[in-house]
Amino acid sequence: MSKSAGDHPITIETEPRRVTVEAGGRTIIEANVVLVLKEAGYKPVFYFARDAAAMALLEKSDHVTHCPYKGDATHYHVRTPDGLIENAIWSYEDPRDGVSEIKDHLAVYPSKLDMTEH
């Protein structure tokens, strides 16, 4: 799928990739298929289906960010034995037209969580 907003192209592809996301010795996400979103000038971002995540370890945050191309992103803290990792995951629960595939998927900040491709 491709979308373009002027000079701001966005593509989303489904790829078979085994990816594990961990924090504090816990597996937060384990997926065999990911959505890969490529957006003009940015590194690709993996989006994971919610059923691949240990949702019980996530706590919805009040933090919301806005992207003019994708919409508003809800953020989640991750619970670990050492405490919360704040705003480590985000999700577009009502994305803009053209990027609807990422609805209710989760993306992670690699600077906050350990992500490994197998």
Side-chain angles (χ1 to χ4, degrees):
M1 189 239 104
S2 294
K3 178 189 182 211
S4 183
D7 62 351
H8 196 90
I10 296 175
T11 60
I12 302 170
E13 299 172 354
T14 302
E15 293 188 11
R17 290 192 188 209
R18 190 168 185 303
V19 181
T20 304
V21 177
E22 297 176 323
R26 292 181 171 173
T27 299
I28 309 302
I29 299 171
E30 192 164 25
N32 291 315
V33 175
V34 298
L35 294 180
V36 180
L37 184 141
K38 296 176 184 171
E39 183 174 359
Y42 296 98
K43 290 182 178 182
V45 175
F46 293 164
Y47 281 82
F48 304 95
R50 286 183 186 234
D51 63 4
M55 293 300 292
L57 299 177
L58 305 186
E59 180 179 310
K60 195 171 188 176
S61 165
D62 292 334
H63 185 65
V64 175
T65 55
H66 177 77
C67 171
Y69 306 102
K70 296 185 295 291
D72 292 332
T74 301
H75 288 71
Y76 293 86
H77 305 310
V78 175
R79 285 191 200 107
T80 72
D82 298 325
L84 287 181
I85 301 172
E86 294 187 0
N87 300 313
I89 292 178
W90 76 89
S91 176
Y92 289 96
E93 296 173 2
D94 189 22
R96 294 193 178 276
D97 292 340
V99 293
S100 61
E101 293 96 333
I102 63 172
K103 179 177 175 54
D104 294 328
H105 279 67
L106 304 169
V108 305
Y109 287 103
S111 62
K112 296 185 177 193
L113 302 173
D114 297 320
M115 186 164 46
T116 306
E117 290 184 66
H118 305 274

